[in-house]
Amino acid sequence: MRQDIGTRGFLLLLRVQDLTRRYPGQTRAVLQGAGFELDRGESVALTGESGSGKSTLLHMLAALDQPDAGQILLDGADISRLDDRSASAVRRRRIALVFQHFNLIPALTVAENIALHARLGKCHEAEWTNHLAERMGLADLMRRYPEQISGGQQQRVAIARALALRPDVLLADEPTGNLDEYASEEVLRLMLELVSEAGSALLLVTHSQQIAARCQRHLHLSGGQITEGACA
Amino acid sequence: MRLTLATLLRHWRRMPLQLGLMIAGLALATALWSAVQAINGEARASYARAVEQLGSAQLPALTAPDGHIPLATYVSLRRAGWQLSPVLEGRWSPGRRPVTLMGVDVLSHPVTAAMAAAEAEADPDAPPFATVMQRETLFAHPDHLPDLAGSGYRLLPLPHLPPDVVIGDLALVATLLDRPDALTRLLILPEQPTGLTPLAELAPNLRVGRVQDGVAGDPQRLTRSFHLNLSAFGLLSFAVGLFIVQGSVTLGLEQRRGQIQTLRCLGVPLSQLMLALAIELVVFALVAGLIGLVIGYGLAGLLLPDVTATLRGLYGAPVDGELTLRPGWVLSGLAMSVGGTLLAGTQAFLALRRMARSLSQAPVSGARRGAHHWLRLAAGGLVLMGLGTLIGGIWPGLLTGFVWLAGLMVGAALLLPALLHAASHLIPTGPDSPLRAWLIADSRLQLPGLSLSLMALCLAVATNIGVGTMVSSFRLTFVDWIDQRLLADLYVQPETETMEAELMHWAQQAGVRALPRYQIDSRSGNAPLRLFGITDDPRYAEEWPLLRSQPDVWTRLFDQGEILINEQLAHRQGLSPGSVVELAPGWSARVAGVYADYGNPDGQAYMSIDAMRDREMPMTLSQIGLVAPAGTSIEDLAQELRAALALPPGAVIRRDAIRATSTAIFDRTFVVTGALNVLTLAVAGFAMLTSFLSQWSRRLPQLSPLWAMGVTRRQLALCEVLRSLGFAAGTFLLALPLGLLLAWILLAHINLEAFGWRVPMTLFPDDWLRLFALTLLAAAVAALGPATRLLRLSPARLLGVFSHDR
């Protein structure tokens, strides 16, 4: 088990410095010298207008995309220029993602989907996975396939899959964007509780100020820059 | 309507590769089918021309039970008012090779027109039938004219005559055959006066029936199995091509789900969407059909020379080596293309109907198939296999044999996905191998999309194994048979009786054993029968294995007047050792043994030369075999013989030369089969490629999350290739027994029905390994495209799956 969260500077997990990203053919950089810090176990909301670069930032933090300039230091190691193999290893073991459209593997059952990421990272704990499934209300759906369950249930599977890894960082991109109000509230509540239980840091991209307010910190992305927002 | 169609068609502008693959698949399928049909059509037209040249096929004829109608009977029937055309037919040996000589009445026989045309072409100034009437002219196939050069008669070509048929005036032929007052049959001409006394009263001993002129027989009948085989191949290739079309059309529709949803929201009725889809398919089918016809025509042109050689060599059937563009062929090719495309599009029509009624249904729910679906499919497959076997087993015949094959093959193809699905559950997947577990689970999910191309692969591989085993088994047996049948070291065909006497004398002087073989052409059971007379020699007993025989078979043959018959005669007339067979009217003999004979489809019998001479029938010497004394060089002996009798080099043929020529003819016979085999496999490989490429657009959303979880693109690409190899290997494992079953049916049943002989089946594991490697290679190549794409895919494309808000 990881240590509990202590003082902020001592437990710094992620430092993003001067991140710049420009898409080919576009005059304006979507990210321009953006930077922020994320501590272990901390939950942070990231808001911004559509097209402001939130998802781009998230993808770079997950080593899915590379910045044109700047650094992303995970426990002091720059993960912004890794080759595919090393970037894949980071994602396999330390970073998990939850997407708006769930992105479950249609070929696998709910149980297999939940265990998949942890198994790929070779850190699967059956007890923890069962616990997650129980908490997420998925215990009775374990043998079903993704298309056989509702959208809210699918997103709970996606969150359970991400947390089964006990990632250092959970990056969630509009995780409730596709859900109705009730399901959204339920999923968010469970996610925040379980992220805390897992000891992971959470960076949650959202449009909703209400959802942002549920996190410990609030960052706002605008004009390619990140600014500190109001705390919950 | 126009707008709906234009909107639907617009999709293909964004998917040129998919469109190209679909058109190419259909064009390829149409090409193979139409090539085969062009070859079959050309052959049939040649047969029809030959029959037309002989002109007698459509006319009923009077024949006598003993094959001889006295001239007086003809005269009495003519006097009674019957319009008849007399024909005299027999074997004649003007050169080394005996031919069928047919004498006709030039004033009444239907072949007259062709004879007059050939004569006018040779001598435009001569009055019609001048030379024929003067009994100077014989007509034969152009290729056969050089063999007749020594006959001393004027020879004119009739290109559509069968190769070994020579026609001349009745009187001339009667002289040449030394049968001045007998006829073989009387053709009953179409126009008859009214009020005639019935033939049954005038000539009660004569029978009315349709008899084909020329002993070569009906080429349509003889070559039926060959053309049926070609058609089966063509149809198989076409069916495999349709799998490509089916996959592409269904995918094209799936991709336009959003578009269709919008059109429905805008008020386009389902019927209009259906019609637009039908028009789209017909347009594609016509374009692909035209391309296919062009390729098919070229392919037919390439294959026709080999087919011509086969038909002439194996069946003696006359086929021109030139291809003619027939409007019927073009129309039937296009109809096949359109019909096949609409058939392949059936699933798309059903999908469109479902789609238009339930727009919210997720595509993947239609893709997943439960165990019950596979069980239903497998049950259907088993029923088809059972039905085919039942039909083939209960009603033996050529056509039912092919129905049996079709039932087995289609049934096995339906069984394949179920077996692959079941097999995927047998592969162990532990918690330590999540990627393997995903690969297997994902393969099950991909199975419905890939099943058609895998079925195509299964059919192609099974056909390859089946036909390959049949051809190789046949070749092995044939070569073995040739070795056994060539008992002598040298062969000579004496052209005259003097030469025969000189040769026998020389052999005696030189201490060389001679094995002369005489022949008589007869008919038995209304089919041609060739009788051979041989002299007693220990080599027969030593080196000629028999399929079935009585004890002391050779003693029975040489001392007791019994005979040996070939397998096809035994099969056709249900004979076995001990049976009695009619060799000619009033001449029967007991069967002492049955021998294998793969050289011709007709009946043959061997007897002692003394038994043959007893019958006092006109016989010809077909060849003399010479056995070199031990220690003598065969080449020296051949030279000595040539020098002694002043023979040209080609007159003495060595055993190994005959063996080499026969094997070469055999190999050429199966060039077409081999070519179609390879092409069918190529089409199946292409079907796999299109399936993989078609699935590609669906794959990204399934693969991106894995990539996001840290599975590298290289690993994903490897998984794609491994899946393809796994499917191909599984398919091969089913195709292997199916192919062997196919070979067994071809060898033991189809061959028996077509030729009357059964060929022992030999297994060729080396060939299977080669084919297995080829199948894996085809699967790897098919998967390499998507795998390479995946490997080179930019992260941006993979990220595109997650970037919904940008």
Side-chain angles (χ1 to χ4, degrees):
Chain A
M1 291 289 287
R2 291 192 185 90
Q3 280 186 307
D4 288 335
I5 302 162
T7 57
R8 180 175 167 168
F10 184 68
L11 292 173
L12 179 68
L13 176 68
L14 189 75
R15 172 177 284 156
V16 177
Q17 291 177 329
D18 299 326
L19 218 56
T20 300
R21 183 72 164 97
R22 188 189 302 276
Y23 284 114
Q26 288 187 0
T27 50
R28 196 176 63 84
V30 71
L31 294 173
Q32 193 140 29
F36 72 96
E37 288 183 355
L38 184 67
D39 288 348
R40 284 188 190 280
E42 179 177 37
S43 64
V44 176
L46 177 67
T47 55
E49 291 172 7
S50 290
S52 61
K54 301 186 297 294
S55 295
T56 305
L57 175 66
L58 216 62
H59 296 155
M60 286 192 289
L61 296 180
L64 291 167
D65 197 2
Q66 292 190 347
D68 297 323
Q71 283 187 318
I72 301 166
L73 303 169
L74 181 67
D75 273 338
D78 189 2
I79 60 166
S80 65
R81 302 282 186 282
L82 295 177
D83 60 22
D84 188 46
R85 199 184 184 86
S86 306
S88 297
V90 169
R91 285 198 300 276
R92 224 160 34 229
R93 293 183 191 119
R94 305 193 62 183
I95 299 172
L97 289 128
V98 174
F99 303 101
Q100 182 182 348
H101 287 265
F102 327 135
N103 292 102
L104 299 179
I105 307 294
L108 303 180
T109 60
V110 166
E112 288 166 335
N113 261 292
I114 292 175
L116 180 64
H117 199 166
R119 280 188 172 142
L120 285 168
K122 298 196 187 306
C123 58
H124 178 249
E125 300 165 31
E127 202 178 326
W128 169 237
T129 309
N130 290 339
H131 172 68
L132 285 171
E134 194 74 43
R135 287 292 312 275
M136 285 288 187
L138 299 169
D140 296 337
L141 310 173
M142 299 296 264
R143 296 170 72 96
R144 299 218 186 149
Y145 284 93
E147 79 272 10
Q148 294 167 338
I149 56 176
S150 71
Q153 289 167 333
Q154 286 192 42
Q155 192 59 299
R156 278 187 266 164
V157 174
I159 292 167
R161 178 177 73 184
L163 289 173
L165 181 70
R166 288 187 192 275
D168 289 336
V169 189
L170 173 63
L171 303 169
D173 191 356
E174 292 278 5
T176 57
N178 253 6
L179 306 178
D180 60 45
E181 199 178 334
Y182 175 76
S184 175
E185 173 56 34
E186 182 67 10
V187 164
L188 188 68
R189 184 182 64 78
L190 284 168
M191 184 169 70
L192 287 170
E193 281 176 19
L194 290 169
V195 162
S196 169
E197 213 175 311
S200 304
L202 169 70
L203 182 66
L204 174 71
V205 171
T206 180
H207 281 292
S208 162
Q209 291 297 326
Q210 272 184 317
I211 292 174
R214 304 276 296 273
C215 295
Q216 292 166 335
R217 272 202 298 148
H218 181 183
L219 302 174
H220 187 73
L221 179 58
S222 178
Q225 301 276 325
I226 294 174
T227 52
E228 195 82 24
C231 291
Chain B
M1 176 64 214
R2 196 183 297 173
L3 193 62
T4 306
L5 182 63
T7 311
L8 279 180
L9 282 173
R10 199 118 181 173
H11 165 78
W12 298 106
R13 279 167 65 175
R14 292 193 300 119
M15 301 286 178
L17 178 68
Q18 200 180 321
L19 177 64
L21 287 176
M22 181 169 69
I23 298 277
L26 186 56
L28 211 56
T30 311
L32 286 181
W33 167 257
S34 49
V36 162
Q37 289 316 306
I39 290 168
N40 281 350
E42 199 53 56
R44 286 197 193 102
S46 294
Y47 306 151
R49 277 196 298 271
V51 169
E52 199 180 320
Q53 285 277 16
L54 288 170
S56 56
Q58 307 304 321
L59 301 178
L62 287 168
T63 53
D66 63 355
H68 300 277
I69 301 174
L71 196 59
T73 307
Y74 167 62
V75 172
S76 65
L77 289 172
R78 286 288 291 120
R79 282 186 180 150
W82 280 93
Q83 299 299 306
L84 304 169
S85 182
V87 176
L88 174 62
E89 195 174 284
R91 295 295 277 179
W92 179 53
S93 299
R96 284 183 191 172
R97 202 152 59 109
V99 296
T100 297
L101 185 59
M102 210 174 97
V104 297
D105 173 24
V106 292
L107 297 178
S108 62
H109 195 279
V111 78
T112 300
M115 291 166 81
E119 200 178 346
E121 197 172 312
D123 186 2
D125 300 327
F129 299 110
T131 46
V132 178
M133 301 293 273
Q134 287 166 18
R135 303 181 184 180
E136 289 173 356
T137 310
L138 291 172
F139 297 82
H141 188 278
D143 289 353
H144 198 53
L145 292 182
D147 295 343
L148 303 168
S151 66
Y153 293 92
R154 184 176 181 231
L155 299 166
L156 289 178
L158 266 188
H160 300 304
L161 278 183
D164 66 344
V165 174
V166 176
I167 294 187
D169 176 63
L170 187 64
L172 169 62
V173 170
T175 312
L176 291 174
L177 294 177
D178 195 22
R179 284 159 66 184
D181 53 3
L183 296 166
T184 312
R185 61 185 156 272
L186 301 172
L187 299 181
I188 305 171
L189 298 174
E191 290 182 12
Q192 300 288 344
T194 51
L196 292 175
T197 312
L199 285 167
E201 283 180 30
L202 292 171
N205 59 330
L206 299 186
R207 287 178 301 207
V208 180
R210 287 185 193 276
V211 184
Q212 184 74 55
D213 277 345
V215 174
D218 178 3
Q220 298 260 30
R221 180 185 66 79
L222 286 176
T223 58
R224 190 165 155 238
S225 67
F226 180 82
H227 293 297
L228 210 56
N229 235 324
L230 279 188
S231 290
F233 251 120
L235 200 61
L236 178 68
S237 305
F238 187 73
V240 168
L242 289 189
F243 289 147
I244 300 174
V245 179
Q246 199 271 351
S248 299
V249 169
T250 312
L251 175 72
L253 202 67
E254 192 67 62
Q255 287 165 336
R256 287 178 283 183
R257 177 178 285 271
Q259 205 179 65
I260 289 164
Q261 185 174 10
T262 310
L263 287 170
R264 288 284 286 154
C265 293
L266 293 176
V268 176
L270 175 62
S271 58
Q272 204 173 87
L273 281 171
M274 290 279 212
L275 185 62
L277 179 66
I279 294 173
E280 178 184 285
L281 291 183
V282 169
V283 169
F284 291 157
L286 287 174
V287 172
L290 281 173
I291 298 170
L293 284 174
V294 172
I295 301 172
Y297 193 74
L299 200 60
L302 282 176
L303 294 176
L304 194 61
D306 285 316
V307 174
T308 305
T310 302
L311 290 168
R312 280 193 183 155
L314 199 59
Y315 305 93
V319 178
D320 288 344
E322 288 172 15
L323 205 59
T324 315
L325 190 63
R326 295 167 209 284
W329 173 76
V330 173
L331 288 176
S332 69
L334 288 178
M336 196 76 182
S337 174
V338 171
T341 307
L342 289 176
L343 185 72
T346 309
Q347 199 187 336
F349 284 112
L350 293 174
L352 178 61
R353 205 178 140 91
R354 266 201 316 271
M355 212 183 270
R357 286 182 175 174
S358 171
L359 292 168
S360 59
Q361 198 181 23
V364 74
S365 63
R368 186 184 304 287
R369 304 285 189 220
H372 64 280
H373 168 80
W374 300 118
L375 279 176
R376 263 205 316 268
L377 209 62
L382 287 172
V383 166
L384 276 181
M385 290 171 90
L387 270 178
T389 308
L390 208 64
I391 291 171
I394 290 179
W395 295 287
L398 200 57
L399 205 60
T400 50
F402 277 98
V403 169
W404 186 1
L405 287 183
L408 280 180
M409 292 187 76
V410 176
L414 289 177
L415 206 58
L416 175 72
L419 290 178
L420 288 176
H421 190 263
S424 74
H425 285 285
L426 299 176
I427 303 170
T429 54
D432 298 335
S433 51
L435 204 56
R436 195 200 311 171
W438 166 78
L439 178 62
I440 291 162
D442 187 59
S443 300
R444 276 199 286 272
L445 190 69
Q446 304 307 319
L447 193 54
L450 290 175
S451 60
L452 280 174
S453 60
L454 293 173
M455 288 179 190
L457 184 69
C458 177
L459 293 182
V461 171
T463 308
N464 223 299
I465 293 171
V467 175
T469 304
M470 188 263 281
V471 172
S472 299
S473 297
F474 195 9
R475 192 179 193 282
L476 209 64
T477 310
F478 182 82
V479 171
D480 203 30
W481 170 75
I482 281 276
D483 280 342
Q484 289 164 359
R485 291 292 294 275
L486 294 173
L487 299 174
D489 300 308
L490 294 172
Y491 287 89
V492 189
Q493 287 184 313
E495 292 186 5
T496 60
E497 281 180 21
T498 317
M499 187 176 157
E500 177 193 340
E502 282 174 6
L503 187 61
M504 295 300 276
H505 180 70
W506 174 86
Q508 203 174 14
Q509 295 294 308
V512 174
R513 271 153 60 201
L515 306 175
R517 194 180 74 172
Y518 294 85
Q519 76 177 56
I520 293 173
D521 285 315
S522 177
R523 291 185 83 84
S524 175
N526 208 24
L529 173 65
R530 183 161 286 176
L531 307 173
F532 292 112
I534 52 175
T535 52
D536 192 358
D537 190 282
R539 207 164 242 220
Y540 288 111
E542 286 162 14
E543 296 193 19
W544 194 349
L546 300 170
L547 296 174
R548 297 180 289 279
S549 63
Q550 300 263 63
D552 304 321
V553 56
W554 297 102
T555 311
R556 288 168 182 268
L557 181 89
F558 291 115
D559 300 338
Q560 296 168 23
E562 295 191 6
I563 60 166
L564 299 179
I565 58 170
N566 65 1
E567 191 184 4
Q568 38 272 55
L569 180 63
H571 171 69
R572 215 166 285 147
Q573 296 195 19
L575 302 170
S576 56
S579 310
V580 174
V581 59
E582 186 191 47
L583 302 176
W587 181 13
S588 298
R590 188 172 297 281
V591 176
V594 179
Y595 62 90
D597 178 10
Y598 307 111
N600 75 97
D602 293 326
Q604 287 186 355
Y606 273 76
M607 63 191 69
S608 76
I609 184 67
D610 298 331
M612 190 176 249
R613 281 194 181 117
D614 286 348
R615 289 287 144 183
E616 293 180 354
M617 285 175 75
M619 59 186 197
T620 50
L621 179 68
S622 68
Q623 66 178 34
I624 295 179
L626 298 168
V627 182
T632 311
S633 152
I634 295 170
E635 190 49 45
D636 290 349
L637 191 70
Q639 279 182 6
E640 201 180 312
L641 173 61
R642 282 188 207 107
L645 300 182
L647 295 171
V652 182
I653 308 165
R654 288 179 58 145
R655 167 192 179 136
D656 47 7
I658 296 178
R659 185 181 186 276
T661 310
S662 305
T663 313
I665 291 171
F666 180 92
D667 287 341
R668 200 168 179 202
T669 300
F670 289 101
V671 164
V672 182
T673 314
L676 286 174
N677 236 343
V678 171
L679 286 172
T680 310
L681 198 62
V683 175
F686 193 69
M688 275 196 88
L689 174 71
T690 49
S691 285
F692 283 124
L693 290 178
S694 299
Q695 295 223 324
W696 172 245
S697 60
R698 275 189 273 201
R699 299 290 292 142
L700 267 192
Q702 295 165 10
L703 297 175
S704 295
L706 280 162
W707 175 68
M709 277 183 261
V711 180
T712 62
R713 280 169 291 173
R714 183 186 294 272
Q715 283 175 308
L716 290 173
L718 192 65
C719 283
E720 291 295 298
V721 176
L722 281 176
R723 183 199 345 269
S724 177
L725 290 178
F727 275 144
T731 304
F732 185 91
L733 287 181
L734 175 67
L736 180 62
L738 178 66
L740 293 178
L741 192 59
L742 184 73
W744 178 76
I745 294 173
L746 283 170
L747 288 167
H749 292 266
I750 303 273
N751 258 335
L752 192 66
E753 293 303 329
F755 303 105
W757 63 61
R758 200 181 255 123
V759 176
M761 184 163 147
T762 314
L763 303 181
F764 300 89
D766 288 355
D767 289 355
W768 306 342
L769 279 179
R770 251 195 307 277
L771 188 64
F772 183 59
L774 202 66
T775 308
L776 290 186
L777 186 71
V781 168
L784 221 52
T788 314
R789 269 184 170 194
L790 193 59
L791 211 56
R792 291 183 182 159
L793 201 64
S794 69
R797 281 290 305 280
L798 286 160
L799 283 173
V801 173
F802 312 123
S803 303
H804 299 295
D805 61 342
R806 190 162 51 232

